[in-house]
């Protein structure tokens, strides 16, 4: 994609103050009252719209939009064995590309600028992300439950090659699926490779109680201690779910600087019996993000819907309505509560660089304008409205790296993306219509 023209926004409300904003080369270069467009800028009159940071989906499997509504009432293992795995065995890169484009379309419409993804054919997802103009950190799944870890090592290295040629908005990562689908040797190899190449690692962890008891039986340790023994826990590690974690495990995770991603909607849909113990995680100093998980087990990618469930589930589970203030919940959903999530993709390796989670001068030009006439955004506290009243439909304009991806609720080429994704789903035999 060609470099976008400099962009200027006027008449936006930032924390209740009317401001202007200018972006050049993907970065915010001016922000505040009185900032005006320069000659040649693409100009947007925000007309009183709220200016906020975009949302960050810290755990998903984007291309699984193809599986949305497909056998979702079955128990997990029957759903995987009878429906999902047989179709996944037939997936081609073009299926993943259009599934991921469909996901990106929904994310742009509902205000998500960046996501962390684990799925087959990661190069196809990367291409979709680049064509859509979003940011993502992507990893192809590593697993060897059926044996053959040598072949899987080659595949994992090939995934990294697929991702190496992509542009600055796509970062590569390693994505060992889970401790129960990846052997000890392959997990250790993955941890060593991650350290050698300074790569982020994404893994599902402590999602079900069964996973914890099996880990104790097989390895004599609970999941976080087992992963720590293998050298897997560090500042670039993202642990998805974290439902079954006790205080000492949260302290270990905090000490290692890992990020844990809450996936409350997927946890409830799959009935895993709990959610991330956020109050204890915060007390321990754990870095936290929010994810939808894949559209096969949610089924929405609207982060504002999941943000509400996140906040409600924490209040409900703790019996304490003060446990998660709305502004804090919002910060978790934008990635601002994790230094790893809030760095732009190309700078993940060095753990420094431009923030993508806050609207600031010198930060990435990623932001949303929320509809000024939205009935859900009333006169009260904006964060409270965003967490408890809003859905993705309040987003009017989505800007990522200085490029306008949606304006006035319209994403260019949206209809074609929906049609092509449906075509691919039909080809796979998922959608019989
Ligand atoms: Zn997942």
């Amino acid at each position: 994609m060609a470099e976008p023209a400099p962009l200027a926004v006027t008449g936006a409300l930032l924390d209740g103050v009317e401001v202007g904003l200018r972006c050049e080369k993907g970065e915010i270069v001016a922000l505040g009252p009185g900032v005006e467009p320069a000659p040649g800028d693409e100009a947007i009159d925000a007309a009183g719209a709220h200016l906020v940071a975009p949302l960050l989906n810290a755990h998903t499997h984007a291309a699984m939009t193809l599986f949305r509504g497909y056998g979702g009432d079955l128990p997990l293992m029957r759903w995987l064995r009878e429906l999902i795995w047989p179709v996944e065995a037939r997936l081609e890169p073009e299926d993943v590309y259009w599934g991921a484009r469909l996901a990106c379309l929904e994310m742009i419409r509902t205000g998500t600028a960046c996501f962390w993804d684990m799925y087959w054919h990661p190069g196809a997802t990367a291409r979709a992300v680049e064509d859509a103009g979003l940011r993502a950190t992507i990893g192809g799944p590593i697993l060897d439950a059926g044996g053959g870890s040598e072949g899987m090592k080659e595949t994992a290295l090939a995934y990294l090659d697929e991702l190496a040629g992509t542009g600055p908005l796509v970062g590569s990562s390693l994505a060992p699926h889970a401790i129960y689908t990846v052997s000890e040797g392959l997990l250790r190899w993955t941890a060593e490779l991650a350290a050698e190449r300074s790569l982020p690692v994404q893994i599902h962890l402590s999602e079900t109680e069964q996973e914890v008891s099996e880990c104790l039986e097989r390895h004599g340790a609970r999941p976080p201690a087992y992963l720590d023994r293998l050298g897997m826990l560090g500042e670039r590690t993202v642990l998805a779910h974290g439902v079954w974690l006790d205080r000492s495990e949260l302290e270990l995770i905090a000490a290692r600087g890992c990020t844990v991603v809450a996936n409350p909607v997927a946890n409830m849909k799959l009935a895993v019996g709990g959610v991330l113990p956020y109050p204890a995680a915060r007390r321990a100093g754990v870095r936290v993000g929010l994810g939808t998980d894949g559209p096969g087990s949610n089924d929405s990618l609207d982060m504002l819907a999941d943000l509400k469930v996140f906040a409600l589930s924490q209040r409900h589970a703790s019996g304490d309505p003060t446990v998660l203030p709305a502004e804090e919940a919002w910060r978790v959903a934008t990635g601002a509560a994790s230094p790893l999530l809030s760095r732009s993709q190309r700078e993940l390796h060095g753990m420094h660089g431009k923030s993508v989670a806050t609207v600031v001068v010198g930060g990435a030009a990623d932001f949303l304008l929320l509809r000024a006439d939205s009935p859900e955004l009333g006169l009260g506290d904006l964060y409270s409205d965003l967490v408890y009243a809003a859905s993705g439909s309040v987003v009017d304009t989505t800007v990522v790296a200085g490029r306008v991806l949606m304006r006035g609720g319209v994403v260019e080429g949206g209809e074609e993306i929906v049609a092509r994704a449906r075509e691919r789903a039909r080809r796979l035999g998922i959608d019989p219509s």
Side-chain angles (χ1 to χ4, degrees):
M1 261 193 196
E3 183 84 31
L7 174 70
V9 176
T10 52
L13 287 179
L14 180 64
D15 297 324
V17 177
E18 188 171 319
V19 297
L21 170 152
R22 285 196 69 247
C23 318
E24 282 177 15
K25 297 184 177 153
E27 202 174 297
I28 297 175
V29 294
L31 173 67
V35 171
E36 294 288 336
D41 282 0
E42 180 185 351
I44 294 179
D45 176 6
H50 292 285
L51 169 66
V52 295
L55 295 146
L56 185 148
N57 189 344
H59 176 69
T60 190
H61 314 277
M64 290 187 82
T65 47
L66 298 173
F67 298 102
R68 181 175 274 157
Y70 183 56
D73 289 331
L74 290 175
L76 175 65
M77 288 322 288
R78 274 194 64 199
W79 177 67
L80 287 173
R81 286 204 180 105
E82 294 173 25
L83 298 180
I84 302 299
W85 289 343
V87 180
E88 283 189 335
R90 302 198 297 272
L91 275 181
E92 291 177 1
E94 276 306 282
D95 299 317
V96 171
Y97 175 82
W98 286 106
R101 281 302 300 270
L102 187 64
C104 291
L105 174 63
E106 186 180 349
M107 289 192 233
I108 293 167
R109 288 176 63 105
T110 53
T112 291
C114 179
F115 63 99
W116 284 61
D117 195 81
M118 174 197 292
Y119 206 59
W120 309 109
H121 303 297
T125 300
R127 203 157 45 85
V129 169
E130 290 203 299
D131 291 349
L134 288 176
R135 293 180 194 276
T137 299
I138 299 170
I142 296 174
L143 58 157
D144 64 349
S149 48
E150 284 317 306
M152 189 63 237
K153 288 177 190 172
E154 277 171 37
T155 306
L157 292 169
Y159 285 156
L160 292 178
D161 290 342
E162 271 184 53
L163 293 165
T166 48
L169 302 190
V170 175
S172 48
S173 72
L174 293 168
H177 175 264
I179 57 168
Y180 56 90
T181 44
V182 190
S183 64
E184 188 167 341
L186 190 55
L187 281 173
R188 199 183 291 278
W189 176 84
T190 305
E192 281 164 11
L193 183 64
E196 196 183 295
R197 301 202 186 180
S198 300
L199 285 168
V201 177
Q202 319 184 43
I203 186 167
H204 297 99
L205 189 80
S206 301
E207 181 176 1
T208 64
E209 205 169 10
Q210 186 186 355
E211 176 185 339
V212 177
S213 55
E214 279 180 11
C215 188
L216 265 169
E217 232 167 78
R218 279 184 203 161
H219 308 291
R222 288 168 62 96
Y226 170 58
L227 278 190
D228 195 42
R229 197 161 80 199
L230 303 178
M232 185 69 87
L233 301 187
E235 284 190 323
R236 296 187 188 86
T237 309
V238 173
L239 306 168
H241 296 292
V243 172
W244 299 94
L245 296 174
D246 64 24
R247 202 182 71 187
S248 67
E249 290 173 307
L250 290 164
E251 283 166 0
L252 170 68
I253 286 166
R256 296 290 180 268
C258 311
T259 295
V260 179
V261 179
N263 293 269
V265 173
N267 295 153
M268 287 182 181
K269 190 167 184 225
L270 296 174
V272 302
V275 288
L276 168 74
Y278 178 80
R282 184 183 47 190
R283 272 196 301 278
V286 174
R287 299 152 176 199
V288 180
L290 180 66
T292 58
D293 211 345
S297 60
N298 183 302
D299 296 349
S300 160
L301 291 166
D302 182 345
M303 281 285 289
L304 283 171
D306 287 43
L307 176 55
K308 178 169 182 172
V309 175
F310 174 54
L312 290 180
S313 63
Q314 293 302 331
R315 291 163 75 124
H316 182 70
S318 63
D320 178 0
T322 68
V323 80
L324 178 57
E327 188 169 352
E328 186 177 323
W330 173 256
R331 279 174 51 78
V332 169
T334 62
S338 157
L340 178 68
L341 299 178
S342 61
R343 294 299 162 218
S344 64
Q345 302 344 97
R346 271 295 178 255
E347 286 144 330
L348 287 173
H349 298 202
M351 290 293 291
H352 57 78
K354 291 196 290 277
S355 170
V356 297
T358 42
V359 183
V360 288
V361 173
D366 294 12
F367 57 87
L368 309 177
L369 295 171
L370 307 178
R371 294 172 63 97
D373 62 354
S374 168
E376 296 91 343
L377 305 178
L379 299 172
D381 177 63
L382 176 65
Y383 297 106
S384 190
D385 291 346
L386 284 170
V387 175
Y388 295 109
S391 70
S393 65
V394 303
V395 180
D396 177 272
T397 300
T398 302
V399 176
V400 178
R403 188 184 305 278
V404 182
L405 304 183
M406 176 171 79
R407 192 164 170 191
V410 177
V411 183
E412 230 174 87
E415 280 174 23
E416 192 208 341
I417 293 166
V418 173
R420 296 294 296 275
R422 285 186 181 160
E423 228 173 83
R424 301 308 297 191
R426 270 196 294 277
R427 188 196 77 81
L428 289 164
I430 299 170
D431 176 8
S433 62

